Amino acid sequence: MSVKAKWRMLVDSLMVVLIPLLMAYSLIGETAHEWLGVMMSLLFVGHHLLNFYWFKGLVKGRWTALRIYQTIVNILLLLCTLGLIISGIALSRTVFSFLPIEGGGSWGRTLHLLTSYWGFVLMSFHLGQHWSMILNRVQRSAKRPVILRVLTVAFAGYGIIAFIKREIGTYMTLQNTFVYFDFGEPLFFFFIDYIAIMGLFVFLGYYVTSALKWLNKGMSRER
């Protein structure tokens, strides 16, 4: 593995770890949330610098259904992340409190809520697009790959329950603009639910990508 590939893996792994921590917001405290947000923003920049070839390749090659799907997810995720950074700076009470920003509370809160939950889902989808590489490594080392698949399906199934229980859909559609946190709930259960929701969309992203790859192969054979 090249040095660049190792850096890419490190940056991506840190981003995956930070996602559920950032979703915990009030449970970990505003100050911690802000600093973790800054860290995520820096990792986001690093991720794009390490994968800059993707932007250069946008004007090249054939636009298949798979490529269109991946590009849409990536662009929407990019827009969500930019929205998170802008609204995060506007709402900041600690890290960026020195900036002379006034009146950003109302629009900033709505934008931050919307982009955080859509970003959470889209980042999981994005991870699912590249999950085959991780899955191949895990399956090679796993003694019972069938059991691994059953556990994956079960975990994704629980993700549906957690998605409904945590009312994620109401935040994504702004039906609910106030996020409820149960401060008496152990953080462990909160993280399990959000990791399961991530797993659900990674699962969906992986199978949508696999289906589109299969479709592309079928169309290539016909030609």
Side-chain angles (χ1 to χ4, degrees):
M1 186 183 292
S2 67
V3 174
K4 188 176 180 180
K6 288 178 180 178
W7 272 107
R8 193 182 293 129
M9 183 178 290
L10 175 63
V11 168
D12 293 351
S13 299
L14 288 172
M15 290 177 79
V16 170
V17 171
L18 285 180
I19 294 170
L21 288 171
L22 284 166
M23 299 309 292
Y25 178 53
S26 291
L27 299 177
I28 62 172
E30 281 189 29
T31 301
H33 180 79
E34 285 191 30
W35 282 112
L36 288 174
V38 170
M39 192 184 300
M40 178 64 97
S41 301
L42 293 173
L43 289 170
F44 171 78
V45 172
H47 174 83
H48 282 84
L49 288 174
L50 289 167
N51 294 279
F52 192 71
Y53 65 87
W54 182 82
F55 292 97
K56 290 167 66 176
L58 281 175
V59 293
K60 301 176 183 177
R62 190 166 60 92
W63 284 89
T64 62
L66 174 62
R67 190 180 180 190
I68 292 169
Y69 157 70
Q70 290 177 324
T71 302
I72 289 172
V73 171
N74 290 348
I75 289 174
L76 288 176
L77 180 55
L78 175 63
L79 292 173
C80 279
T81 307
L82 292 175
L84 278 168
I85 293 170
I86 293 167
S87 58
I89 291 172
L91 293 170
S92 176
R93 295 180 182 178
T94 305
V95 181
F96 299 102
S97 59
F98 61 91
L99 294 175
I101 299 175
E102 295 181 7
S106 180
W107 65 265
R109 221 169 258 109
T110 302
L111 179 61
H112 206 70
L113 174 72
L114 191 64
T115 52
S116 61
Y117 282 92
W118 273 103
F120 173 63
V121 169
L122 288 166
M123 195 170 283
S124 301
F125 255 106
H126 178 72
L127 184 59
Q129 291 175 348
H130 306 283
W131 195 249
S132 58
M133 295 183 291
I134 300 168
L135 196 62
N136 288 337
R137 289 178 184 174
V138 173
Q139 285 183 339
R140 276 194 224 109
S141 59
K143 294 181 179 179
R144 298 180 183 273
V146 176
I147 295 175
L148 183 64
R149 289 185 181 184
V150 171
L151 289 173
T152 301
V153 172
F155 195 63
Y158 178 69
I160 298 173
I161 298 170
F163 182 89
I164 296 168
K165 182 176 78 172
R166 298 289 175 178
E167 301 182 342
I168 306 298
T170 65
Y171 305 136
M172 294 174 69
T173 55
L174 293 181
Q175 294 177 55
N176 192 349
T177 56
F178 178 79
V179 182
Y180 172 74
F181 289 100
D182 181 2
F183 291 96
E185 177 188 34
L187 270 173
F188 174 79
F189 295 120
F190 178 92
F191 288 135
I192 285 293
D193 279 4
Y194 271 82
I195 292 169
I197 296 167
M198 278 183 69
L200 167 65
F201 287 104
V202 167
F203 180 87
L204 292 174
Y206 169 73
Y207 279 103
V208 169
T209 301
S210 298
L212 290 174
K213 282 181 180 177
W214 176 81
L215 180 65
N216 283 349
K217 285 181 181 177
M219 292 176 69
S220 297
R221 287 195 202 99
E222 289 176 5
R223 291 178 186 176

